[in-house]
């Protein structure tokens, strides 16, 4: 499929993208991303590998648009962190939670 990225036309195929991304370790995701196979890659990383252009030359939106047209699942934001448990927020066993223990000088802290 003909896709324009950074004002340059590319003839991309789903299999071609899969082959290009094979063996590439995903970078940390901070913005838009693309799921390729079982891995999720930042859109800019995919664009750089597939087009062999510097990632400053194109937007992640251009890559997301092209990958969506090829049938890949694209994500607009990174997956949220799992919420902290109440025990983590309040202090679990073995943490200083201000239990009123007196120090050597008799001052309670």
């Amino acid at each position: 499929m003909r896709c324009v990225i950074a004002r340059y036309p590319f003839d991309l195929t789903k299999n071609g993208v899969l082959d290009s991304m094979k063996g590439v370790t995903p970078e940390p995701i901070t913005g838009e991303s693309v799921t390729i196979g079982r891995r999720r890659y930042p859109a800019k990383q995919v664009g750089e590998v597939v087009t062999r252009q510097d990632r400053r030359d194109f937007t992640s939106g251009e890559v997301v648009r092209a990958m969506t047209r090829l049938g890949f699942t694209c994500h607009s934001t990174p997956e949220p962190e799992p919420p902290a448990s109440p025990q983590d927020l309040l202090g679990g066993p073995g943490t200083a939670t201000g239990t009123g223990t007196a120090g050597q000088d008799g001052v309670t802290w």
Side-chain angles (χ1 to χ4, degrees):
M1 176 175 292
R2 191 170 199 86
C3 302
V4 176
I5 300 174
R7 298 187 320 245
Y8 291 98
F10 293 93
D11 287 318
L12 301 176
T13 64
K14 188 167 187 169
N15 287 334
V17 173
L18 288 168
D19 289 341
S20 295
M21 297 304 293
K22 194 176 293 182
V24 176
T25 303
E27 296 173 358
I29 296 170
T30 58
E32 294 180 300
S33 61
V34 182
T35 299
I36 299 175
R38 295 182 180 180
R39 294 183 171 182
R40 195 165 161 185
Y41 297 89
K44 288 275 198 168
Q45 182 182 14
V46 174
E48 183 177 50
V49 171
V50 171
T51 67
R52 296 190 180 113
Q53 292 191 359
D54 190 286
R55 50 180 85 183
R56 294 174 293 181
D57 294 339
F58 54 85
T59 66
S60 59
E62 291 175 297
V63 176
V64 166
R65 186 169 39 255
M67 296 300 114
T68 300
R69 288 179 59 202
L70 289 172
F72 292 102
T73 302
C74 298
H75 312 272
S76 59
T77 56
E79 296 215 357
E81 293 288 324
S85 70
Q87 189 173 14
D88 292 338
L89 296 174
L90 299 175
T95 60
T97 58
T99 58
T101 305
Q104 288 179 338
D105 55 3
V107 177
T108 303
W109 46 273

